[in-house]
Amino acid sequence: MAVSPLINRLNNDGQVYYLMGLGIKKGSIPYLDLFDNKGIYLYFINTIASLISEKLSVGLFLVEAAFIMADIYVVLQIARYYMDSIYSRLVCAMLFMCLALNYFTFDGGGNLVEEYALFPQLISIFLIICFIKGNYNNRHMFFQGILCSFSFFIKPSLIMFWGGVLVIVILLLKKRFYKQSCISIGSGIIGLMVGALPAYIYGRFTGCWDAMIEAIVMFNYRYSSAEGESLIKKIFSVILNWRMGGLFILTIASFIIVYKSKNIEMLLIYVTSLVLEVISISLSGYSFGHYYEGMIVFTLPSLVWISKKIYIKKSIVIAIAVAGILCNGKLLIKILDDYGIIRTISYDDMNFMAKCANLKQQNYNDSSVLVVTGTGNCQGAKYYTAMNVMPDNKYFYTLKIPYEELPDSVDAIANATYSGKYDVLVMYYIYKDKSKMWGVDKYDSGLREFLNENYELCIENEVLPLEMWVKKK
């Protein structure tokens, strides 16, 4: 976990979500006062973390730890259907967490959408297994509806995973269980409404409902289509990406295991959810590592098979060793960073951020700071967090959409920069030579002249295109 006390280096996207949650705590209304394109439940999770403690390594760490412990518990319950030995179940849970916390594949994790989505996905799988094993009741579909809504209001494309659940209804109809099918459909719809109710009430109460739907549905559609690639090309890009390597092998093995079980119902549900999950990742538009975390649940058949085959007395030691190597990847990099053995971009970024925070703390108030980021750069959030400042602009980072399609974020940040009302400007350029900030000529052309005339260069990063300017007295 990126915000554990030992590491405390949070992913850039994770910083955005935390700032949104912190904003809710401090009275800001998401989508109206602060903009981001994820669901309100993700921000509620971060609000809870900030209520526990605004120190990331305390509040957010405890929330992430709670989700991970819940994931482990559900995996253990799933494993109970297939393994009698508690040791084998523990090995299965450990192997699952090795994948879930793998820094090298999933960009270090830390307060990311897919991390929280694992929990509802795992519960859904547990309920599906209950159906396969003959322990199904109509309440299960009600809970599936709640889980689907919860995931929608984290990130809408996640609901495609629940396409496999619809297969259950089709199977009930095929068996001519018409009454039970109708009750299941009704229960699922009620569950969807119950799951969406907190988001709807909050949205109507604060007046952000329409803006919320616009942000999480329409904006995400624009974002996913920003590169102009066809869906088929995106799907192949997802499948052939190097990050799919181990997951691809484990998923193929899992498919073979499910196929050989000769359980047609399980196979139909598994294949349907798998195909839709790949499409869901493809719709995200970019091949970022953490998008692939949604594929982990499809490796469970392989993990169960491995856990049953490993020699029990050695298995726990092996699993812990593997977990230590994979899960502590970020910790290892931090240690090497701190002792100067290696020097990563993260190190230079953190060092610059600490200098900015110290200078701001000593000389300036919160309302005098503006973080200026280049197009498609969401790293402004971590600078606001480090300096303990809530942004006073709706757009606190620039969106990764061509300026011609959606100029709002660039216009807002550029106009705030040229307003001259801020005493401190933290500049994060899009090019290393600092020749451009936004890639828009009308704003880029006079930027350096404006800065030299009205501000003094205070801190400059030698590695990254970062500067801190303070207003001339």
Side-chain angles (χ1 to χ4, degrees):
M1 292 182 291
V3 290
S4 73
L6 292 175
I7 300 172
N8 201 18
R9 292 190 181 184
L10 187 56
N11 182 283
N12 293 326
D13 287 354
Q15 294 274 7
V16 171
Y17 310 146
Y18 181 76
L19 192 62
M20 294 290 290
L22 184 62
I24 293 174
K25 174 187 172 182
K26 298 196 174 191
S28 298
I29 300 174
Y31 313 109
L32 296 179
D33 298 330
L34 296 173
F35 180 85
D36 188 49
N37 62 322
K38 297 301 185 292
I40 192 68
Y41 290 164
L42 178 62
Y43 308 142
F44 285 167
I45 291 169
N46 282 270
T47 302
I48 293 169
S50 69
L51 287 168
I52 297 171
S53 173
E54 289 187 17
K55 190 175 182 181
L56 291 175
S57 58
V58 178
L60 190 54
F61 171 69
L62 290 175
V63 169
E64 284 195 293
F67 268 87
I68 287 176
M69 294 303 295
D71 291 344
I72 292 173
Y73 176 78
V74 181
V75 172
L76 288 172
Q77 297 308 306
I78 292 172
R80 281 182 63 189
Y81 275 106
Y82 300 98
M83 290 176 280
D84 294 327
S85 169
I86 182 63
Y87 298 110
S88 295
R89 291 180 225 153
L90 285 170
V91 169
C92 184
M94 287 180 178
L95 290 173
F96 183 86
M97 295 320 299
C98 284
L99 291 175
L101 296 176
N102 180 354
Y103 164 65
F104 298 104
T105 302
F106 302 121
D107 293 344
N111 198 34
L112 294 172
V113 170
E114 293 75 16
E115 172 187 339
Y116 298 118
L118 279 178
F119 179 58
Q121 284 180 328
L122 286 169
I123 296 179
S124 176
I125 289 170
F126 174 75
L127 295 175
I128 288 170
I129 291 173
C130 288
F131 169 78
I132 297 298
K133 296 292 184 179
N135 297 326
Y136 174 79
N137 63 62
N138 294 317
R139 287 175 299 175
H140 289 178
M141 197 61 74
F142 170 75
F143 290 122
Q144 292 280 18
I146 291 177
L147 295 170
C148 185
S149 273
F150 176 80
S151 297
F152 178 86
F153 285 102
I154 290 180
K155 182 181 177 182
S157 62
L158 292 171
I159 65 170
M160 297 188 74
F161 173 84
W162 273 264
V165 176
L166 295 178
V167 176
I168 292 177
V169 177
I170 295 171
L171 291 170
L172 289 173
L173 288 170
K174 187 172 182 280
K175 294 177 181 179
R176 298 185 179 181
F177 296 156
Y178 300 123
K179 181 179 178 180
Q180 192 173 14
S181 298
C182 292
I183 294 173
S184 293
I185 292 170
S187 298
I189 292 171
I190 293 171
L192 286 169
M193 292 190 294
V194 170
L197 193 60
Y200 181 77
I201 292 172
Y202 178 84
R204 287 302 181 191
F205 181 76
T206 59
C208 72
W209 176 254
D210 292 338
M212 182 193 303
I213 299 303
E214 170 69 24
I216 67 176
V217 178
M218 300 309 298
F219 176 86
N220 279 325
Y221 172 75
R222 292 189 208 174
Y223 180 80
S224 67
S225 59
E227 290 189 335
E229 294 181 347
S230 67
L231 179 60
I232 299 298
K233 188 173 181 180
K234 288 179 180 178
I235 290 173
F236 276 102
S237 177
V238 167
I239 295 173
L240 299 176
N241 189 282
W242 69 269
R243 298 180 190 278
M244 274 290 285
L247 287 176
F248 186 77
I249 295 170
L250 287 171
T251 303
I252 291 297
S254 295
F255 169 78
I256 293 172
I257 291 168
V258 174
Y259 178 78
K260 285 193 171 183
S261 70
K262 297 182 179 179
N263 189 318
I264 301 300
E265 294 177 343
M266 178 62 89
L267 182 63
L268 286 171
I269 295 170
Y270 181 88
V271 171
T272 302
S273 291
L274 176 60
V275 170
L276 291 174
E277 182 64 25
V278 171
I279 294 173
S280 171
I281 297 172
S282 303
L283 289 174
S284 298
Y286 299 90
S287 298
F288 297 136
H290 52 87
Y291 291 165
Y292 293 86
E293 206 154 349
M295 293 292 298
I296 299 174
V297 293
F298 295 98
T299 69
L300 276 170
S302 294
L303 301 184
V304 168
W305 185 86
I306 292 169
S307 301
K308 291 168 73 173
K309 296 296 181 181
I310 290 178
Y311 183 54
I312 288 297
K313 289 185 179 180
K314 293 182 179 179
S315 61
I316 295 179
V317 177
I318 294 170
I320 291 175
V322 173
I325 293 169
L326 295 179
C327 301
N328 289 328
K330 196 153 194 171
L331 175 59
L332 174 62
I333 289 173
K334 180 182 183 295
I335 292 170
L336 295 175
D337 245 358
D338 291 345
Y339 283 93
I341 299 172
I342 62 173
R343 186 172 179 178
T344 66
I345 290 176
S346 176
Y347 175 85
D348 292 297
D349 203 2
M350 296 283 288
N351 192 32
F352 179 81
M353 195 158 49
K355 290 178 181 178
C356 292
N358 289 335
L359 184 68
K360 177 266 167 186
Q361 204 70 27
Q362 294 170 10
N363 301 290
Y364 300 97
N365 59 46
D366 293 355
S367 62
S368 64
V369 177
L370 177 70
V371 179
V372 185
T373 56
T375 301
N377 187 340
C378 66
Q379 300 195 50
K382 65 184 177 186
Y383 285 90
Y384 282 117
T385 304
M387 292 185 284
N388 196 27
V389 172
M390 281 304 299
D392 60 358
N393 286 310
K394 175 181 177 179
Y395 296 101
F396 55 93
Y397 68 94
T398 48
L399 306 174
K400 199 168 186 177
I401 288 183
Y403 179 78
E404 295 75 18
E405 291 186 31
L406 192 68
D408 299 23
S409 64
V410 170
D411 286 347
I413 293 178
N415 289 328
T417 304
Y418 282 111
S419 71
K421 72 175 185 177
Y422 296 96
D423 294 327
V424 178
L425 298 177
V426 177
M427 314 291 289
Y428 204 134
Y429 298 85
I430 57 175
Y431 293 127
K432 194 170 182 179
D433 63 3
K434 303 170 188 174
S435 60
K436 290 185 179 181
M437 174 59 76
W438 302 286
V440 180
D441 288 340
K442 67 177 180 179
Y443 293 131
D444 287 334
S445 58
L447 182 60
R448 300 302 293 186
E449 290 80 0
F450 171 80
L451 291 173
N452 288 321
E453 183 178 338
N454 297 280
Y455 290 84
E456 293 179 0
L457 182 59
C458 184
I459 307 173
E460 185 174 14
N461 192 297
E462 297 177 357
V463 178
L464 297 170
L466 284 161
E467 294 174 341
M468 184 177 190
W469 295 74
V470 297
K471 185 179 279 188
K472 290 180 180 178
K473 297 182 180 178

